[in-house]
Amino acid sequence: MMNRRTFSKTLLVGAATSLVATHAGLAATTPPKARNVVLVHGLFADGSCWTEVIALLQARGLNCTAVQNPLTTLPDAVAAARRILDRQDGPTVFVGHSFSGMILAEAGVHPNVSSLVYVAARAPDAGEDYAALAKTYPTPPATAGIVFDGDEGRLTEEAFLRDFGGELPEARARVLYAVQQPFQKALLTGKTSNAAWRSKPSHYAVSTQDGTINPDLQRFMARRMGAKAIELESSHLSLISHPNEITELILEAAGQS
């Protein structure tokens, strides 16, 4: 007899199967050539987390802009990304890490966006309660490391070093911890009204050793959107520990590989 969690997962897998069939054509579609890349960071970070990837993309002649996600509310975060997307002069690859997958889902319908790249990122459907979806999978260890000062949340140093950037050299992880930006509780209550992955070619990089977003949840979301997916033996910060692989995925999404 199925328990509630197993039943929920069965329903989700069934839904994912039909969605993969619907969206597989998008993943197989060759995206238009893009020279612009807009990258968004998630919780516990700032735009500097994209430094390694940006340098590699610039060396290939692409124009890159990192959005400074305000981490206040989802509408604020989406508005910040849209302002950057408005300034692009042609097809643009829209890339998001972690929480910013919410921003890709909502703002990725922008006409300048030619394709989406999710890096160990949330990928909700329109109107979906992401927190409820995540609860159908085992809770990742980093969750226990979130602490609040009033409405302002952050990750403890121990959780950051162990669960967020687990395989990074400790000295590098401590630098990233030092630039961690706090987020507001209100940010976590937002729901998307769009699911850009339904209409845009999508790519997904799964982190198999992720202590922040369950790897099986990542695989489910990638399958559901019919994304071209890769798997990296990485913690949550694959954009830093595996910049070459993430860059190649973005180049593929840009039609430049």
Side-chain angles (χ1 to χ4, degrees), residues 44-240:
F44 323 124
D46 71 357
S48 68
C49 66
W50 290 107
T51 300
E52 285 89 347
V53 170
I54 288 172
L56 292 169
L57 290 170
Q58 288 177 337
R60 295 288 294 269
L62 276 72
N63 305 311
C64 300
T65 307
V67 177
Q68 292 295 350
N69 182 351
L71 301 176
T72 49
T73 67
L74 183 59
D76 286 350
V78 169
R82 281 179 175 151
R83 287 193 293 272
I84 301 299
L85 291 171
D86 286 342
R87 297 206 297 263
Q88 305 309 303
D89 60 2
T92 300
V93 181
F94 196 22
V95 186
H97 174 242
S98 193
F99 175 87
S100 69
M102 303 281 289
I103 302 170
L104 265 62
E106 189 69 8
V109 296
H110 192 288
N112 283 339
V113 174
S114 55
S115 58
L116 305 166
V117 178
Y118 292 80
V119 180
R122 300 184 181 196
D125 203 348
E128 185 172 50
D129 184 339
Y130 175 82
L133 171 64
K135 285 179 181 176
T136 63
Y137 291 82
T139 302
T143 302
I146 300 174
V147 293
F148 286 92
D149 298 313
D151 287 335
E152 194 172 83
R154 57 188 172 81
L155 202 58
T156 66
E157 184 173 16
E158 180 183 8
F160 194 103
L161 299 181
R162 182 189 62 221
D163 304 321
F164 192 65
E167 90 277 31
L168 297 180
E170 184 173 327
R172 177 68 172 121
R174 287 187 183 280
V175 170
L176 294 167
Y177 174 76
V179 300
Q180 174 185 186
Q181 296 299 299
F183 67 92
Q184 296 295 311
K185 276 184 179 179
L187 182 66
L188 303 181
T189 63
K191 290 184 182 178
T192 58
S193 57
N194 296 317
W197 49 265
R198 287 182 172 274
S199 59
K200 304 290 176 83
S202 300
H203 296 67
Y204 199 110
V206 174
S207 289
T208 64
Q209 307 301 315
D210 203 316
T212 303
I213 295 180
N214 186 290
D216 285 333
L217 173 56
Q218 293 180 42
R219 294 182 179 107
F220 165 76
M221 292 185 290
R223 286 195 303 270
R224 179 172 68 169
M225 68 173 69
K228 167 64 183 296
I230 63 171
E231 295 207 357
L232 300 173
E233 191 172 343
S234 171
S235 70
H236 196 53
L237 292 178
S238 60
L239 66 170
I240 296 171

